[in-house]
Amino acid sequence: MRIESFDLLDSKDKFHQKALHWSGQFDEISFFNSNGPADQWGRFESILAVKALAVFRADDHVLDQLQAFLSLHPGGFIPGFLSYDLKNEIEELQTTAVNTLEFPEAYFFVPAMTISCRGHQVQIRAEDPQAIFQAICATIVPQQASPIDVRVHSRWTKPQYFSAFDKVQQHIQRGDIYEVNLCQEFFAENADIDPIEVYLKLNAVSPTPFSSFFKAGQHFIMSASPERFLAKRAGRLISQPIKGTAKRGSTAAEDQEIMQQMRHSQKEIAENVMIVDLVRNDLTRSALPGTVQATGLFEIQSFKQVHQMLSTITCMQAPQVSNMDVFRHTFPAGSMTGAPKIAAMQICDQIEASRRGIYAGSIGYFDTLRDEFDFNVVIRSLLYNQQKQYLSFHTGGAVTNQASADQEYQECLLKASALLKALDTTLEQ
């Protein structure tokens, strides 16, 4: 393997388009894009990895097998995903809903080639970096995207969502839980799409810091995630849960007013505090005593469609705790479950009408050379089984005792808006 650097000849967006279209020839693709400079915890502005030298795929005993796989490949960057339903193995839970998308519980691969961008430089790690750079630069991007013809339906009618919401609130009023992230599925059958083109449009409509595109054979993930689940940097664990959402204003002044309302909203702050406490508790199980810190509480981040409230929790990983133990202690993301975590997951399994699968799981990578990792939360994401032509996405919102069914339903639709726009469609009623 050789590593060479090249000057970026096109704009970064144009290079990304060419690189993704070039990558379509391979069965394994992983692309992470921060849509700007990497944050203080990020390693890459963007990185594309293609063509598997080795593949890890598992549906049971995932974390033990994954540790063995990573140990066999100590040389660097290994991208992949973990399904939300890995919770069943970690906590001995059960999910009875059908796995319609047929994604595995976990999938990682050792790439033959990686192409990363930082500033105006491209770094390629491969057998022949020069040939790959020339091939990407010579790739012709279609001038006009293929028309998309999909009909997206909701798994629940509005009354059915309200009924599920009411069941969750009954659990809260009985004291079973404090908060639940109630999710609903939107889906399209007979969906014939070009996943790369749809992802590029989604990223243009909704550029986010944890955007990703993933291909594993006939399975595709097109993600506009704004949320980091968990990263490890120099022995420090970092989690940045998002809880609290508001629509963007039509003017700068209206935006400022909405953000101020969020900062002073007892509901939004209470939801965020519950998840911060949950994440602090999860991290404590992996931390050196006394190192868990909540910093940057209740920060407002603005994206094209929404404002979000984010908090950051960090700790130093205890030396006797393995990386797989860290995932056992923290997975899945608390922002996607509720509190208490296990009870919330049990209630979601009972009430929700579809299997979450990859949604609410994580996409990311392990760096086995540095002993680091970085994983997002799979939200605002399209999941696609190309062989079955089945397309799916979920959205959800926090249900508390003070929450309004209609407001949470509208929040679900707001979160769906960018995904529907990327598909050039509206929701079928």
Side-chain angles (χ1 to χ4, degrees), residues 168-178 339-340 343 347 401:
V168 170
Q169 282 203 326
Q170 289 175 30
H171 280 286
I172 293 171
Q173 288 154 11
R174 286 200 298 266
D176 301 331
I177 44 169
Y178 309 110
I347 288 165
N401 203 33

Side-chain angles (χ1 to χ4, degrees), residues 87-379:
K87 69 180 175 55
N88 299 340
E89 179 178 317
I90 294 171
E91 301 294 353
E92 296 185 0
L93 299 171
Q94 289 187 330
T95 301
T96 56
V98 176
N99 183 9
T100 310
L101 282 160
E102 298 178 351
F103 277 75
E105 297 299 328
Y107 186 99
F108 288 82
F109 71 95
V110 178
M113 296 163 266
T114 60
I115 300 102
S116 60
C117 293
R118 183 176 290 276
H120 296 286
Q121 287 278 301
V122 179
Q123 186 181 84
I124 298 179
R125 180 181 180 274
E127 294 289 347
D128 190 347
Q130 180 76 39
I132 290 170
F133 183 68
Q134 290 175 349
I136 291 173
C137 291
T139 298
I140 305 300
V141 175
Q143 291 301 303
Q144 188 165 357
S146 305
I148 301 170
D149 182 19
V150 294
R151 297 178 180 273
V152 177
H153 303 269
S154 174
R155 184 65 64 189
W156 273 334
T157 63
K158 189 173 181 179
Q160 285 173 324
Y161 176 86
F162 277 37
S163 174
F165 183 96
D166 185 57
K167 289 175 184 175
V168 170
Q169 282 203 326
Q170 289 175 30
H171 280 286
I172 293 171
Q173 288 154 11
R174 286 200 298 266
D176 301 331
I177 44 169
Y178 309 110
E179 176 182 358
V180 161
N181 194 285
L182 180 65
C183 301
Q184 58 175 318
E185 185 193 16
F186 302 87
F187 67 98
E189 297 171 310
N190 303 313
D192 185 10
I193 65 169
D194 181 328
I196 289 173
E197 288 186 3
V198 169
Y199 167 74
L200 288 168
K201 182 161 186 189
L202 175 61
N203 193 58
V205 168
S206 183
T208 56
F210 299 99
S211 171
S212 58
F213 176 84
F214 203 96
K215 175 185 179 184
Q218 294 291 312
H219 293 96
F220 294 83
I221 306 169
M222 297 147 272
S223 177
S225 173
E227 183 173 358
R228 172 179 276 126
F229 162 53
L230 194 65
K232 179 179 178 179
R233 295 286 178 256
R236 183 180 299 277
L237 302 175
I238 305 102
S239 185
Q240 295 182 296
I242 286 175
K243 189 57 64 178
T245 303
K247 67 178 182 180
R248 291 296 303 262
S250 55
T251 65
E254 190 178 348
D255 257 344
Q256 288 300 316
E257 184 179 347
I258 291 169
M259 290 165 71
Q260 278 295 102
Q261 289 172 354
M262 286 188 77
R263 289 188 186 100
H264 295 95
S265 166
Q266 288 187 342
K267 173 185 177 292
E268 304 288 12
I269 289 172
E271 289 177 7
N272 199 283
V273 164
M274 282 189 227
I275 299 307
V276 167
D277 285 346
L278 185 156
V279 173
R280 281 166 55 96
N281 183 64
D282 282 354
L283 285 179
T284 297
R285 300 169 64 195
S286 303
L288 276 172
T291 64
V292 179
Q293 294 180 308
T295 61
L297 288 171
F298 318 136
E299 291 182 354
I300 307 299
Q301 289 190 340
S302 298
F303 303 97
K304 275 196 173 182
Q305 275 74 35
V306 295
H307 300 291
Q308 306 259 217
M309 184 179 285
L310 172 146
S311 294
T312 300
I313 304 97
T314 68
C315 72
M316 295 304 297
Q317 183 177 340
Q320 73 274 17
V321 175
S322 72
N323 289 339
M324 292 304 112
D325 284 337
V326 170
F327 278 84
R328 286 187 181 94
H329 297 160
T330 57
F331 191 86
S335 59
M336 298 307 298
T337 61
K341 193 172 186 178
I342 296 173
M345 290 190 289
Q346 288 172 327
I347 288 165
C348 288
D349 281 340
Q350 293 165 12
I351 294 175
E352 290 177 0
S354 53
R355 191 184 191 99
R356 293 191 184 184
I358 303 304
Y359 173 74
S362 291
I363 311 170
Y365 68 88
F366 289 97
D367 183 336
T368 53
L369 193 61
R370 290 189 175 98
D371 186 29
E372 295 185 342
F373 53 77
D374 200 356
F375 282 81
N376 74 4
V377 181
V378 182
I379 53 177

